[in-house]
Amino acid sequence: MSAEPRQPNQAFSLERTGAVLIKEFIQLTRDRITYALILAVPVIQMLLFGYAINTDPRHLPTAILVQENSVFARSVVSGIANSSYFDINHQVRNAAELDELVRTGQVQFAITIPGDFTRRVVRGDRAQILVEADATDPTATGSALAALAQLPREALRRDLTGAVAPPADPEQPFEIVVHRRYNPENITAYNIVPGLLGIVLTLTLVMMTAIGVTREQERGTMESLLATPVQPLEVMIGKLAPFVIVGMIQTALILIIGRVLFGVPMAGGWPGLILGTTLFIIGSLGLGFLISTLTRTQLQAMQLSVFYLLPSILLSGFMFPFRGMPDWAQWLGTLIPVTHFLRIVRGALLKGQGFADMGPSLLALAVFVCAVAALALARYRTTLD
Amino acid sequence: MTVAIDAQGLNKSFGGRRVVKDFSIRVDEGRITGFLGPNGSGKTTTLRMLCGLLTPDSGTGTALGFDIISESWEIKRRTGYMTQKFSLYEDLTVEENLQFSARIRSLDRIGERVADALEQLGLAERRKQLAGTLSGGWKQRLALAVATLHEPQLLLLDEPTAGVDPQARRTFWDEIHTLAARGLTVLVSTHYMDEAERCHDIAYIAYGELLARGTAEEVIAGAKLATWRGEGPGVDRLAGELLRDPAVEMAAPFGLALHVSGGDADRLERALAPYQRSPFRWARTEPTLEDVFIHLMSRVPDNFQ
């Protein structure tokens, strides 16, 4: 009756391989989020990070304090501005203002041209200008400081001809004194360890909650849960609270290891650090919860978490200098909570910033928490619709 | 007798597909009502709408006297719901699952209730075992215990005995009848005819529409179906041939016998006349519930194609 089947090849059959292959392709296109991410991830990440990341940051905000009004001082200032590494956007009148700008992180560099600059240059008497760099991120300041080495030779070349007597050393009419503040030894770990705190918290907390809630949906326990009188806020708080403790433990571990093994300074700023960490942990958990309301499977939740994690690593100033990025990327970066958290952690540990200095970053995190919680609660359904 | 469930004109669509159409039902308190119907007929969706898990697109209804749309919280408090899939926490122990259910429903005397439930279940010795490692029958009994721990007034069971052995099913149904005897209203969806016959009432749903309602006897009588039973070697292979006659609405083998049914008894008899010969023996018989359901289903155009 039945036709004799073709004798299949037991060892390897292209047909069978093809059957599996076709099935995989079909399944891939069925999962719309995965499909979208497969296409979106390379394109978005390439465009975003290809253009945004720059390890040779230029146009860094610089404050300048000029204590004498002279031709030489103006030449030095324009020499600095022409290097393209420094954007002089603050002219201050006293050292206190200068210090404030560096401490709050509004400028990367603070340059002081002293009142006796011209006199000393002319007399060949060790004329100096002082460059203070916010060296919390050594990568951000490295190339700019290297470029300054050229300045003494070039800046006064035209002014030091003719009437003015030649200085003692025409190659080096003045010297530049560099103070690397907050990280005088240029230790990368000082910058990376506090940054890691933000990345580790994001990685574990966003992912754990995103997966934790979708797991209930996948296993069907969510249906049983919804059939009970439990309210959305109760589920949210109940599910997230344990992870607040997980986040706190991780924070303590990273800080202790950072201190003991890497000698990361802890300049103070504890109240701001504690508040900032709490806000960041709650916000990250809320975000994970929000992701879980947008996805159906644990795999999708995982993928969306990674999609969020990548810019958190690359655009937040964790891996590459924030100020090295073009304006649009910096603007995108300020939308990422990790960016603000990193500023708080680095500000506290390395600079000992107080509440007031961290104000804008703390405010940004508070907005993040409120927005994410509101969205998550709005998305969470007490029904299966 | 008090009405436990009273719903009128419920509708629900998913992605443009109408899963439940103008569904109305009344269920008296203390009755066990079986929801029967083919897969995808809207049984689960209807159960979910009645306990507030889904919002109907239109229609109104009350369960236990509360509005199913605006007062679903009150319904949830008084309802036990057992989902189709085992949906307890597999990585919690038997005892922890019961405790969780008791706490989330703000019950008093939690320790006592959990201990009683474990005792009744016969799981006292296994209370430290992870729920995921229980066998199918035990999982189902645990799920029932969890769904009834808060002494609900309404119990919704969605295919509770799928994949459970006959003995466990019998025990399960004994428990359901015990609960109903205490005044609990039970709505249970099932595919098993023997279970349908264990229900006080039946509601037959196909493709979102309620096609038959009443006790098993009423449903059978209401179908006005004539059925003949044929026996003899090879009779079960006649089905395809017989179905070509429009008078034959259904011809289904039952083991070695063949059940042939049709709405018009006289025409059916004429259709069978050519086969009234050796080796076949034919006899008029009472249609079974299954005959009636297959008959009902064949009259509804399948809108899922």
Side-chain angles (χ1 to χ4, degrees), chain B residues 117-263:
Chain B
L118 285 169
E119 201 59 49
Q120 267 183 18
L121 272 172
L123 273 175
E125 265 123 71
R126 299 218 218 165
R127 63 199 162 97
K128 300 273 183 226
Q129 190 176 331
L130 294 184
T133 63
L134 292 174
S135 70
W138 282 113
K139 276 185 184 171
Q140 171 240 27
R141 295 194 63 199
L142 175 60
L144 179 66
V146 167
T148 52
L149 197 63
H150 58 293
E151 294 164 21
Q153 291 162 253
L154 175 65
L155 185 58
L156 303 175
L157 308 169
D158 195 0
E159 291 181 26
T161 56
V164 170
D165 68 54
Q167 197 200 336
R169 271 171 58 194
R170 169 156 295 193
T171 323
F172 184 80
W173 274 92
D174 290 345
E175 282 170 42
I176 300 294
H177 273 276
T178 313
L179 289 166
R182 287 188 216 142
L184 184 72
T185 310
V186 182
L187 249 65
V188 53
S189 76
T190 180
H191 284 299
Y192 298 109
M193 293 305 137
D194 60 314
E195 292 191 348
E197 281 159 0
R198 287 170 180 269
C199 296
H200 298 134
D201 292 301
I202 291 168
Y204 187 81
I205 311 168
Y207 310 116
E209 286 181 77
L210 183 63
L211 296 185
R213 181 87 177 89
T215 63
E217 292 76 25
E218 285 164 5
V219 168
I220 292 172
K224 297 199 172 56
L225 197 65
T227 301
W228 289 74
R229 178 184 166 89
E231 279 173 31
V235 73
D236 52 316
R237 295 190 198 139
L238 292 177
E241 227 173 296
L242 283 164
L243 278 169
R244 271 179 235 141
D245 192 311
V248 177
E249 285 175 20
M250 191 207 90
F254 277 71
L256 289 174
L258 185 73
H259 277 212
V260 182
S261 309

